[in-house]
Amino acid sequence: MCAHDNTDEADHGYHGYIGNQAGYVRRLKLIEGQARGLQRMVEEEAYCIDILTQVSAMTKALEAVSLGLLSDHMNHCVVSAARESDEAADEKIAEAMKAITRLVKS
């Protein structure tokens, strides 16, 4: 499913990231471990710069996941919508632009 509306899988197939799902899950589990490590560092009163270094690494890891998901969305959902109609394509492009704007602002 590409849309987050009431459309079912029969209408749009599957999410664009499904081919990379295992990779995304693996990366997110690593990020989860990084977050627990950061919590532990704060609890153990680690040096500020060491904590900030790990925050930066975690941020980069999340950005990589975001960019991968965005690429999958563009290559699957937006392309599928473009094949459907100009209106559907415009809708998906606008949706993607909103997501990109949120990513850039974060």
Side-chain angles (χ1 to χ4, degrees), residues 3-87:
H4 50 47
D5 56 12
N6 294 330
T7 315
D8 65 11
E9 280 191 44
D11 291 337
H12 287 289
Y14 57 88
H15 294 293
Y17 64 83
I18 223 66
N20 299 321
Q21 183 180 21
Y24 285 121
V25 169
R26 181 182 52 77
R27 289 169 108 181
L28 290 167
K29 285 181 179 183
L30 290 171
I31 292 167
E32 181 181 23
Q34 285 178 299
R36 283 193 304 270
L38 280 166
Q39 179 182 349
R40 214 171 14 258
M41 289 177 80
V42 171
E43 289 170 348
E44 295 172 1
E45 301 177 11
Y47 185 55
C48 300
I49 298 302
D50 293 340
I51 296 170
L52 290 169
T53 299
Q54 292 307 309
V55 167
S56 177
M58 188 172 158
T59 300
K60 294 295 179 195
L62 282 168
E63 287 173 355
V65 168
S66 297
L67 290 173
L69 288 168
L70 180 60
S71 177
D72 289 341
H73 179 71
M74 298 296 286
N75 288 311
H76 179 266
C77 298
V78 174
V79 169
S80 292
R83 289 182 179 137
E84 187 179 317
S85 71
D86 288 345
E87 182 180 298

Side-chain angles (χ1 to χ4, degrees), residues 83-104:
R83 289 182 179 137
E84 187 179 317
S85 71
D86 288 345
E87 182 180 298
D90 291 344
E91 205 173 287
K92 287 295 176 193
I93 290 169
E95 179 183 63
M97 288 306 301
K98 287 179 185 175
I100 292 166
T101 300
R102 284 191 304 271
L103 287 171
V104 170

